[in-house]
């Protein structure tokens, strides 16, 4: 007699941010339950492009979107997902404040210009800022697609995420690091303000922009606690705007 495989409870597709690849999520499979199917997309910055699909066999489908990952995730996946988790997310890369916006644009333009002569130095400086305040030494060896990296930097400079794509009633978890050196201010809280109360906000004070890589245990503890709420008629709204201890 053929044994029927257990139906998956949760399927996750994770999208990394600018300057990384799918290895950004390497810490996650070890901490996830056995009945969670974890897939990683890859933008192709380091010539290893991957575009996984939801299998359709899982009851719940989640997206993990880190930073710029929110912007290059296909709209069809946002529509298919039953919940969306945004790490260090932003609608527009530059802040609204005039002086901060000017400084942010100068810094980004410096990165773009630096890529012409010293792309490896730019990447290493960026990785250091991403993992601040931790001492993680992320080094991605091998060839990389310089044109694609610069193209997406320019897109961040002028582009913005269409927030209407999230205004469909499905639950959203937005997590921020309090020591983020890449984004000025904590942008994730804004998702709770513009998605009509469908988002839960969580703040990890001593984490930086790379919080899903440096604080994966803390992130998953919070996310997994929220998952049952997704199954009970929107009760997740009762736990909005939460903040963790250091």
């Amino acid at each position: 007699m053929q044994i029927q495989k257990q139906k998956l409870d949760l399927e996750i597709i994770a999208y990394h941010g600018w300057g990384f690849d799918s290895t950004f999520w390497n810490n996650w499979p070890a901490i996830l339950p056995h009945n969670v199917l974890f897939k990683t997309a890859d933008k192709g910055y380091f010539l290893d492009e991957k575009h996984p699909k939801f299998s359709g066999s899982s009851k719940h489908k989640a997206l993990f979107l880190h930073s710029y990952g929110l912007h290059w995730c296909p709209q069809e996946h946002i529509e298919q997902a039953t919940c969306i988790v945004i790490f260090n997310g932003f609608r527009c890369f530059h802040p609204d404040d005039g002086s901060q916006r000017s400084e942010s644009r100068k810094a980004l333009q410096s990165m773009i210009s630096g890529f012409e002569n010293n792309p490896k130095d730019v990447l290493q400086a960026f990785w250091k800022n991403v993992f601040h305040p931790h001492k993680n030494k992320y080094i991605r060896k091998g060839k990389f697609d310089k044109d694609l990296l610069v193209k997406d930097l320019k897109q961040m400079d002028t582009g913005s995420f269409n927030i209407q794509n999230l205004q469909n009633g499905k639950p959203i978890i937005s997590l921020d690091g309090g020591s983020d050196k890449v984004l000025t201010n904590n942008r994730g809280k804004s998702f709770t303000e513009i998605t009509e109360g469908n988002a839960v906000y969580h703040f990890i004070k001593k984490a930086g922009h790379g919080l899903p890589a440096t604080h994966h245990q803390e992130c998953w503890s919070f996310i997994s606690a929220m998952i049952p709420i997704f199954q009970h008629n929107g009760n997740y709204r009762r736990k909005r705007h939460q903040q963790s201890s250091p």
Side-chain angles (χ1 to χ4, degrees):
M1 182 176 68
Q2 186 177 7
I3 298 176
Q4 187 177 6
K5 293 182 179 180
Q6 183 182 5
K7 188 174 183 180
L8 295 171
D9 293 322
L10 176 64
E11 183 176 359
I12 300 169
I13 299 180
Y15 285 81
H16 61 79
W18 183 90
F20 288 94
D21 62 5
S22 58
T23 63
F24 181 81
W25 304 99
N26 275 358
N27 292 329
W28 281 83
I31 67 172
L32 296 174
H34 71 277
N35 60 343
V36 174
L37 180 59
F38 189 71
K39 301 177 180 179
T40 55
D42 199 306
K43 188 72 160 66
Y45 294 136
F46 299 91
L47 312 183
D48 187 20
E49 198 171 351
K50 293 190 296 184
H51 299 282
K53 304 291 185 182
F54 284 119
S55 67
S57 60
S58 53
K59 183 177 181 180
H60 297 284
K61 301 174 179 64
L63 288 174
F64 280 12
L65 308 174
H66 177 242
S67 189
Y68 187 62
L70 171 67
H71 295 250
W72 68 273
C73 174
Q75 175 60 24
E76 64 180 285
H77 281 184
I78 293 176
E79 294 173 355
Q80 293 167 355
T82 53
C83 62
I84 297 172
V85 183
I86 302 171
F87 302 87
N88 301 92
F90 57 90
R91 182 182 185 185
C92 300
F93 182 77
H94 301 302
D96 293 331
D97 178 81
S99 60
Q100 290 184 349
R101 183 179 181 84
S102 177
E103 289 300 314
S104 178
R105 295 205 71 176
K106 287 179 182 178
L108 189 60
Q109 287 299 324
S110 178
M111 288 180 65
I112 294 171
S113 299
F115 249 89
E116 293 301 322
N117 299 316
N118 301 295
K120 291 183 179 180
D121 291 345
V122 172
L123 283 171
Q124 289 176 3
F126 174 73
W127 294 332
K128 183 178 180 180
N129 284 336
V130 167
F131 289 111
H132 172 86
H134 301 273
K135 302 300 181 181
N136 297 52
K137 292 184 178 180
Y138 182 90
I139 299 176
R140 180 58 165 85
K141 297 181 179 180
K143 296 180 179 180
F144 53 86
D145 190 332
K146 177 180 173 181
D147 291 339
L148 180 59
L149 284 159
V150 171
K151 176 184 176 183
D152 285 351
L153 279 179
K154 292 178 178 179
Q155 196 282 329
M156 277 191 283
D157 185 32
T158 59
S160 64
F161 178 78
N162 184 358
I163 205 64
Q164 290 183 350
N165 293 341
L166 298 179
Q167 294 176 328
N168 50 18
K170 67 182 60 178
I172 297 165
I173 296 176
S174 177
L175 298 99
D176 266 341
S179 299
D180 194 328
K181 288 193 70 175
V182 175
L183 295 174
T184 55
N185 305 323
N186 298 113
R187 310 285 185 82
K189 193 171 184 178
S190 65
F191 289 108
T192 68
E193 299 165 355
I194 53 185
T195 54
E196 300 177 356
N198 294 326
V200 178
Y201 181 68
H202 190 57
F203 179 84
I204 300 177
K205 185 176 181 180
K206 292 188 177 181
H209 194 71
L211 78 92
T214 61
H215 290 70
H216 48 286
Q217 290 277 8
E218 293 94 325
C219 289
W220 177 244
S221 294
F222 183 80
I223 294 167
S224 60
M226 295 295 103
I227 287 175
I229 298 174
F230 298 156
Q231 305 169 21
H232 293 93
N233 301 320
N235 290 334
Y236 56 87
R237 296 178 183 175
R238 299 175 184 174
K239 292 194 175 183
R240 295 171 57 201
H241 307 296
Q242 297 201 17
Q243 179 170 324
S244 72
S245 59

